[in-house]
Amino acid sequence: MQVLVLAAVLGAMAWLVGNVQSNLERQNINSGFGFLSERAGFGINQTLIAYTEDDSFGRVLAVGLLNTLLVSALGIFFATLLGFSLGVARLSRNWLISKIAMVYIEIFRNVPLLLQIMFWYFGVLRNLPSPRQAVSIGDAIFMSNRGFVVLWLEASAGAFWYGLAALGLVIGGIWLRRRAANAQITTGQATRVWRPLLGLAVALFGGAALMAGVPFALDVPHLKGFNFRGGLTVIPEFVALLLALSLYTAAFIAEIVRAGINSVSKGQREASAALGLPESVALRLVVIPQALRVIIPPLTSQYLNLTKNSSLAVAIAYPDIVSVLAGTTLSQVGQALEIIFITMMIYLSLSLLTSWAMNRYNQRMAFVGNNT
Amino acid sequence: MQMLRKLSAGLLLLAVASFASTPAAEAAGQTLEIVKKRGHLKCGVSQGLPGFSTPDNRGNWTGIDVDFCKAVAAAIFNDADKVKFTPLSAKERFTAIQSGEVDIIARNTTWSMHRDTALGVDFPVVNYYDGQGFMVRADLGVRSARDLDGATLCTNQGTTTELNAADYFRSNGMQYEIVAFEKADESVAAYNSGRCDAYTTDHSALYAQKLKLSDPKAHIVLPEVISKEPLGPLVRQGDAAWNDLVRWTHYATVAAEEFGVTSKNISEMKSSSNPSIRRLMGQDGSFGDNLGLSKQWAVHIIRAVGNYGEIFERNVGVKTPLGIKRGVNALWTKGGLQYAPPIR
């Protein structure tokens, strides 16, 4: 029976695809994915990789995807940071801190996200002055209604050695911490790793400096014509979207964290206190690791929501994947079926990838404690 | 349980079949029959562009494009109110006509070769000759588009505007940054708040959107026209009869202007002895029959919306807030481009 149903469904899908194709052909509508290699011909105002109007629609896809990833990754980072702080603050015994956290959570999670995006974009950032009257912080950061222009370091060829040094430092740090953890298990002695780490850093970056000298040139923003030239420009669309996504999702994460911490039985705290652990250490080493088991699955959903919600970018002209691919490219090429399909597949892949990573993290956390 | 499964599988198949067969039926060249049977015309318009298609506070639509659809409805039903308007964003419009959601789109849409040949749509006629331009703040000190090097531009997503701006700046060796919004209202709001130095779109739309700014007098439209934007209605490809009907609806209004037939003098004109006017009015020949309409088709159109000159002056002309001169949209007899082939 199930085989029959499956066959019927597959057959229906195949027929549907064939029917769509023949209908498109009969209506003289282009189909296929050939457009991805055609010249795009329009400009995009935030590109993480090199892009000009001469590049292809395939390149547009990559630019849009990276912009989506950028705002999602930073959004997840800030939302998690703020959400955990708020969740802990919500449980604080200090009345004022707890109430402030509560008011924040209730406001931000109960106002629709699109309105919040509009609020930050049209309500707050548009009130900044024009570039010629930009607010400047130490001539390094200029704030105007064109965005934030920041003094930036332009990497030269020598930057490669510094990158190598940084990579070496990360690997060395991980190795040192692992060795210290092993030593604690075998000898019971906690050793601090920052001293050898500092030595390693000095050695590595000293070596890089010997190899390459000063690898950066200062890129100073200066007013020329209509706007600033030079420096790194953070467009206001990005700032508004990142703010809204982080603040909105943080409210949900705070509630998840609160629920997680509350789910750890009181006995665990009391046992920690009986062992003489200070409250902060008990929270960090006993309560939170157990709370994480409750926190991670709903937290994953929030990460997925944040990524998908970033598609609201189109309302304020942030060039994310929906805006440049399912927006501009769609109307230039006109192949709605293919482009919407690509866009859906991209979001699906992003979500599945996030779920997979979070599930792996969850599995590792699941063995940490026993809550009974 | 098994019964239920069978049923749901059957329902799925049915849903799939009905979904897939609808557009095929409409593509068979029967648009006029379908519209007549339905009793009203479904017309896609903009989400609000003064002079072209914009709703007033009671939900009545006005504008050149709205009058175009009203003219088609008048030709078919002798009743210009038998139209339902569907506001569409720039990027929704082609999908809406392809899928059969609307019968015709009159949405200040540029006729380009790609759109005509690759999207399964046809452009029967041009009802407004336009070109892209720029609007800037008067106190910016810019008097020519050539001074816009390094400027930030606000525009609408999904239009030829984005491409033209890219071409213009690149071919003149100028830098620019583009901020493209999904809705015209949002791009105008962003320009108004100073996010951009210039707002770029078709000249007619610049004049229209200028009216929505907080201080319209503080903005100027630069003289340069950087592109050709022949705006016109569009229909699904593959229904030549419907294409003809839409095309001749426009030509009837242009011919009427040429012969001096207006919505006011139309009753007297019926007794005109001029053979051209007699053919237009359906006194001689059977031109309406060939379109699948009544002999009086053109009379119904002109009585309802007037001739092309009246439509132009009522919606965008010098006496309206937009204040646009006829320019290239004047009749060919007056040095413009509006030209109707002979009705004979």
Side-chain angles (χ1 to χ4, degrees):
Chain A
M1 184 62 209
Q2 271 158 347
V3 175
L4 275 179
V5 172
L6 188 70
V9 170
L10 285 180
M13 277 168 73
W15 182 74
L16 180 64
V17 169
N19 194 37
V20 164
Q21 254 171 0
S22 69
N23 268 342
L24 288 181
E25 223 161 276
R26 189 159 59 238
Q27 293 189 32
N28 272 323
I29 302 173
N30 282 4
S31 60
F33 293 92
F35 69 90
L36 284 173
S37 57
E38 278 167 29
R39 181 180 184 273
F42 60 93
I44 301 177
N45 66 341
Q46 180 189 301
T47 58
L48 298 181
I49 49 175
Y51 169 85
T52 70
E53 289 85 349
D54 287 328
D55 284 315
S56 66
F57 285 117
R59 189 92 175 168
V60 168
L61 191 158
V63 168
L65 177 60
L66 285 173
N67 284 342
T68 292
L69 286 176
L70 177 74
V71 79
S72 305
L74 285 177
I76 284 174
F77 175 77
F78 288 119
T80 309
L81 216 61
L82 185 63
F84 269 76
S85 318
L86 280 168
V88 173
R90 183 80 178 79
L91 291 170
S92 167
R93 259 173 271 152
N94 183 318
W95 183 86
L96 188 64
I97 291 178
S98 153
K99 287 298 166 222
I100 288 175
M102 188 188 84
V103 168
Y104 174 93
I105 291 166
E106 294 309 332
I107 288 176
F108 278 89
R109 73 171 180 171
N110 288 318
V111 176
L113 179 57
L114 185 59
L115 286 183
Q116 295 194 30
I117 294 175
M118 295 287 193
F119 168 77
W120 290 111
Y121 188 61
F122 286 109
V124 177
L125 294 173
R126 80 188 276 183
N127 294 323
L128 287 166
S130 71
R132 290 176 198 183
Q133 280 96 41
V135 182
S136 118
I137 302 174
D139 276 345
I141 302 174
F142 296 90
M143 295 189 287
S144 72
N145 54 16
R146 300 297 158 82
F148 301 89
V149 185
V150 189
L151 182 77
W152 197 242
L153 298 168
E154 194 126 302
S156 59
F160 168 76
W161 294 103
Y162 285 81
L164 213 61
L167 189 70
L169 189 65
V170 170
I171 293 171
I174 291 171
W175 180 71
L176 280 170
R177 281 203 60 170
R178 199 165 275 183
R179 203 182 62 156
N182 282 338
Q184 191 174 13
I185 289 166
T186 47
T187 67
Q189 286 291 316
T191 44
R192 299 201 171 260
V193 295
W194 68 267
R195 226 182 278 253
L197 204 59
L198 197 66
L200 189 67
V202 170
L204 283 171
F205 282 102
L210 281 178
M211 295 292 290
V214 179
F216 301 111
L218 274 187
D219 189 3
V220 186
H222 57 281
L223 206 54
K224 185 180 174 235
F226 297 102
N227 207 341
F228 288 96
R229 300 272 170 106
L232 175 82
T233 304
V234 184
I235 56 173
E237 291 78 25
F238 175 77
V239 178
L241 186 65
L242 181 62
L243 265 175
L245 284 175
S246 312
L247 298 178
Y248 176 78
T249 313
F252 289 91
I253 292 180
E255 286 296 273
I256 291 168
V257 168
R258 180 166 77 111
I261 292 177
N262 275 339
S263 75
V264 178
S265 69
K266 214 171 144 197
Q268 295 284 321
R269 277 168 185 259
E270 287 168 356
S272 311
L275 286 171
L277 292 178
E279 202 173 341
S280 63
V281 177
L283 196 65
R284 194 160 52 86
L285 294 180
V286 178
V287 179
I288 291 203
Q290 297 184 64
L292 277 179
R293 295 167 53 198
V294 177
I295 290 173
I296 289 170
L299 187 64
T300 310
S301 304
Q302 289 306 322
Y303 288 175
L304 300 182
N305 281 345
L306 189 143
T307 310
K308 288 179 287 178
N309 287 341
S310 72
S311 63
L312 290 172
V314 71
I316 54 164
Y318 176 71
D320 78 327
I321 187 84
V322 172
S323 174
V324 299
L325 188 72
T328 305
T329 303
L330 173 60
S331 48
Q332 303 302 358
V333 179
Q335 292 175 230
L337 284 174
E338 290 87 347
I339 290 173
I340 296 296
F341 176 77
I342 295 177
T343 315
M344 280 164 54
M345 284 302 125
I346 284 175
Y347 276 102
L348 185 65
S349 317
L350 284 182
S351 293
L352 289 177
L353 216 64
T354 314
S355 296
W356 177 80
M358 291 300 284
N359 283 343
R360 291 211 41 172
Y361 184 57
N362 194 26
Q363 274 166 10
R364 282 186 50 190
M365 283 299 145
F367 296 112
V368 167
N370 187 341
N371 204 14
T372 49
Chain B
M1 194 61 201
Q2 285 210 334
M3 195 59 221
L4 203 66
R5 275 192 208 153
K6 239 185 230 168
L7 193 71
S8 57
L11 279 177
L12 180 75
L13 267 176
L14 193 72
V16 165
S18 56
F19 159 72
S21 59
T22 317
E26 289 211 15
Q30 301 300 324
T31 313
L32 180 59
E33 289 312 309
I34 291 168
V35 171
K36 276 184 177 167
K37 204 183 283 173
R38 194 195 301 126
H40 65 263
L41 178 73
K42 291 199 280 189
C43 171
V45 289
S46 78
Q47 291 160 311
L49 179 65
F52 282 78
S53 44
T54 192
D56 65 13
N57 50 15
R58 279 170 304 179
N60 298 320
W61 287 83
T62 56
I64 277 193
D65 285 339
V66 167
D67 281 350
F68 195 94
C69 284
K70 285 186 170 174
V72 174
I76 301 171
F77 300 112
N78 188 19
D79 182 352
D81 290 331
K82 291 202 167 158
V83 195
K84 291 227 167 91
F85 294 102
T86 306
L88 298 167
S89 77
K91 70 175 189 186
E92 289 163 353
R93 54 189 158 179
F94 299 112
T95 319
I97 189 84
Q98 285 165 354
S99 65
E101 196 184 324
V102 291
D103 307 309
I104 178 173
I105 286 185
R107 198 208 166 281
N108 49 287
T109 301
T110 304
W111 179 359
S112 75
M113 183 167 172
H114 175 79
R115 288 172 175 177
D116 201 356
T117 55
L119 301 188
V121 299
D122 272 333
F123 290 82
V125 75
V126 176
N127 71 333
Y128 190 98
Y129 289 95
D130 210 339
Q132 186 176 339
F134 300 91
M135 176 163 62
V136 295
R137 272 172 204 76
D139 62 12
L140 201 61
V142 171
R143 290 294 173 267
S144 156
R146 290 299 184 94
D147 301 335
L148 285 173
D149 189 14
T152 305
L153 312 171
C154 279
T155 191
N156 309 341
Q157 190 178 59
T159 57
T160 46
T161 318
E162 276 181 282
L163 304 179
N164 294 332
D167 286 353
Y168 180 78
F169 278 79
R170 278 168 64 83
S171 60
N172 286 301
M174 307 196 299
Q175 283 189 15
Y176 73 105
E177 182 195 338
I178 199 145
V179 190
F181 290 84
E182 192 186 10
K183 288 185 179 166
D185 277 349
E186 275 150 14
S187 38
V188 173
Y191 166 72
N192 198 18
S193 72
R195 172 67 181 99
C196 301
D197 301 299
Y199 175 63
T200 179
T201 188
D202 297 344
H203 260 268
S204 61
L206 288 179
Y207 285 104
Q209 302 291 12
K210 201 172 151 191
L211 303 175
K212 294 187 187 166
L213 299 172
S214 46
D215 181 11
K217 289 213 175 68
H219 301 265
I220 55 167
V221 173
L222 298 178
E224 280 85 357
V225 177
I226 66 164
S227 70
K228 290 190 286 189
E229 309 287 339
L231 309 182
L234 53 141
V235 296
R236 260 185 306 288
Q237 204 170 52
D239 189 343
W242 183 245
N243 195 326
D244 285 346
L245 191 156
V246 171
R247 180 185 299 121
W248 284 97
T249 298
H250 178 66
Y251 287 151
T253 62
V254 175
E257 186 183 7
E258 191 179 336
F259 302 140
V261 181
T262 67
S263 55
K264 302 205 177 59
N265 69 10
I266 187 140
S267 306
E268 303 140 43
M269 281 291 181
K270 268 187 186 167
S271 49
S272 166
S273 57
N274 181 330
S276 294
I277 296 179
R278 289 184 64 80
R279 284 193 296 273
L280 176 70
M281 308 294 255
Q283 305 295 99
D284 295 339
S286 56
F287 300 99
D289 302 340
N290 296 338
L291 288 174
L293 305 171
S294 73
K295 276 192 173 38
Q296 305 272 303
W297 66 287
V299 176
H300 297 156
I301 293 172
I302 295 156
R303 191 178 285 141
V305 297
N307 65 35
Y308 183 74
E310 290 180 277
I311 296 172
F312 190 100
E313 294 302 339
R314 179 170 65 236
N315 293 304
V316 297
V318 284
K319 285 188 188 142
T320 67
L322 273 79
I324 300 175
K325 296 192 187 84
R326 283 295 286 273
V328 289
N329 287 297
L331 288 182
W332 65 288
T333 49
K334 294 183 180 148
L337 292 171
Q338 289 295 350
Y339 181 108
I343 297 177
R344 68 159 64 242

